[in-house]
């Protein structure tokens, strides 16, 4: 278990409320809560805004007091323009919190798409953007890069004694297949962001259900699982090369079982990227 970041409150939070009255406002492209309303070609009311965290390497937006109508989808974009998501009600915690996927750079653009017909029926989309979790920059070995002088960042302790680069070895088909099951987990607990690992596990039905097995000492509550971001294919392109910047990912999930005695946590991921492999079990 490795700490990789910490929560920072925004200087000014944004309380967003999208309801039936927002449909006409969106057609007129009106501003709301520091963002802009618009209507998509597919008939969704869209709220778009940006949040900047100076000198950040990577960060995640935190939404509190979340109320999302069915079918609402949230995307985020970083400085590289790559879309992360979507996420929706399946990633909202029991405490009505939503941790958006992480983005690279010091600016995140968020797009919230709400079905206009749901709003017309009386549903309301509401949330408050109140904080971020800022993620440390690491070098190619996974060790944290020293913070810039005076930027207020914290450092973390890293132990890479158990880390090996798969591309530094001659791999068999079995090893390469297994690597497609393993995910780099990032989640929020107690206001800090942590990293651990786990793997996709096959079910008796072999139907592709995204069951995911990790350790209880990594995470053990539904709130932590709701904040979960799993990065797959998180490996270098060459031996000891740079880590990938935007590998395929999964966000959120359901806690199925956990036990500290045997140190396991069993999860059903909310979604899963293509080209995965499922580990066997006995």
């Amino acid at each position: 278990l490795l700490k990789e970041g910490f929560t920072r409150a925004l200087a000014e939070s944004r309380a967003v409320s999208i309801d039936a009255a927002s449909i006409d406002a969106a057609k007129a492209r009106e501003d709301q809560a520091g963002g802009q309303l618009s209507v998509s070609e597919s008939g969704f009311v869209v709220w778009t805004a940006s949040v900047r965290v100076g000198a950040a390497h990577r960060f995640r937006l935190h939404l509190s007091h979340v109320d999302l109508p069915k079918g609402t989808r949230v995307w985020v974009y970083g400085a590289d323009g790559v879309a992360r998501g979507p996420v929706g009600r399946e990633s909202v915690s029991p405490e009505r919190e939503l941790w958006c996927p992480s983005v690279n750079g010091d600016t995140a653009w968020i797009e919230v798409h709400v079905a206009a017909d749901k709003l017309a029926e009386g549903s309301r989309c509401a949330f408050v953007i109140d904080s971020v979790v800022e993620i440390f920059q690491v070098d190619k070995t996974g060790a944290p890069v020293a913070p810039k002088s005076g930027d207020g960042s914290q450092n973390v302790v890293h132990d890479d004694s158990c880390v090996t680069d798969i591309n530094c070895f001659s791999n068999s088909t079995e090893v390469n297949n297994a690597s497609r099951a393993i995910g780099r987990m990032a989640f929020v607990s107690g206001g800090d962001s942590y990293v651990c690992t786990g793997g996709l596990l096959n079910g008796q039905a072999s139907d592709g259900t995204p069951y995911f097995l990790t350790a209880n000492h990594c995470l053990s509550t539904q709130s932590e699982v709701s904040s979960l971001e799993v990065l797959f294919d998180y490996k270098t392109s060459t031996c000891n090369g740079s880590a990938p910047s935007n590998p395929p990912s999964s966000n959120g999930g359901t806690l199925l079982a956990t036990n500290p005695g045997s140190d396991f946590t069993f999860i059903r991921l909310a979604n899963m990227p293509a080209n995965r492999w499922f580990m066997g079990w006995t």
Side-chain angles (χ1 to χ4, degrees):
L1 184 64
L2 171 68
K3 180 179 176 181
E4 69 161 0
F6 58 97
T7 300
R8 284 182 168 176
L10 296 177
E12 183 177 349
S13 61
R14 303 184 187 185
V16 180
S17 179
I18 304 171
D19 55 20
S22 302
I23 299 175
D24 289 336
K27 293 177 181 178
R29 300 185 66 86
E30 294 181 5
D31 292 340
Q32 182 187 119
Q36 186 180 70
L37 288 167
S38 61
V39 178
S40 71
E41 293 182 357
S42 53
F44 282 76
V45 172
V46 182
W47 183 82
T48 307
S50 64
V51 176
R52 183 176 181 273
V53 178
H57 164 65
R58 191 174 180 92
F59 69 95
R60 300 178 69 179
L61 292 174
H62 175 255
L63 279 56
S64 63
H65 302 89
V66 177
D67 185 9
L68 302 182
K70 185 176 180 180
T72 300
R73 310 308 288 161
V74 179
W75 280 266
V76 288
Y77 302 79
D80 51 15
V82 176
R84 307 298 294 184
V87 294
R89 295 169 65 170
E90 73 283 350
S91 295
V92 178
S93 76
E95 294 78 21
R96 295 175 60 201
E97 296 177 295
L98 174 62
W99 285 99
C100 294
S102 60
V103 296
N104 290 319
D106 64 359
T107 304
W109 286 264
I110 178 172
E111 286 188 5
V112 181
H113 294 231
V114 190
D117 58 351
K118 295 295 182 183
L119 298 175
E121 293 170 359
S123 296
R124 183 177 74 103
C125 175
F127 55 88
V128 179
I129 304 177
D130 56 9
S131 61
V132 303
V133 63
E134 185 173 351
I135 299 170
F136 301 104
Q137 184 177 5
V138 297
D139 64 21
K140 65 182 180 181
T141 70
V145 175
K148 298 177 182 178
S149 177
D151 71 354
S153 297
Q154 302 178 28
N155 215 330
V156 293
V157 176
H158 176 73
D159 177 8
D160 62 358
S161 61
C162 64
V163 177
T164 58
D165 188 337
I166 191 172
N167 286 310
C168 295
F169 299 87
S170 177
N171 299 317
S172 65
T173 299
E174 289 78 9
V175 170
N176 284 322
N177 283 339
S179 73
R180 293 191 282 124
I182 303 303
R184 178 190 189 274
M185 303 160 51
F187 58 93
V188 181
S189 179
D192 294 319
S193 180
Y194 294 91
V195 173
C196 216
T197 57
L200 291 166
L201 197 65
N202 202 12
Q204 287 182 322
S206 295
D207 58 0
T209 300
Y211 294 124
F212 193 79
L213 184 66
T214 184
N216 173 272
H217 72 258
C218 291
L219 77 174
S220 59
T221 69
Q222 180 58 55
S223 295
E224 292 167 336
V225 172
S226 294
S227 74
L228 182 61
E229 179 181 43
V230 181
L231 303 181
F232 290 95
D233 300 335
Y234 192 83
K235 57 185 179 181
T236 63
S237 57
T238 59
C239 178
N240 291 325
S242 299
S245 59
N246 279 298
S249 63
S250 171
N251 294 277
T254 301
L255 177 64
L256 300 178
T258 187
N259 189 290
S262 50
D263 194 20
F264 82 91
T265 292
F266 191 44
I267 299 164
R268 183 176 62 247
L269 300 178
N271 43 67
M272 178 183 64
N275 195 32
R276 295 305 98 209
W277 185 264
F278 295 87
M279 306 288 283
W281 52 275
T282 59

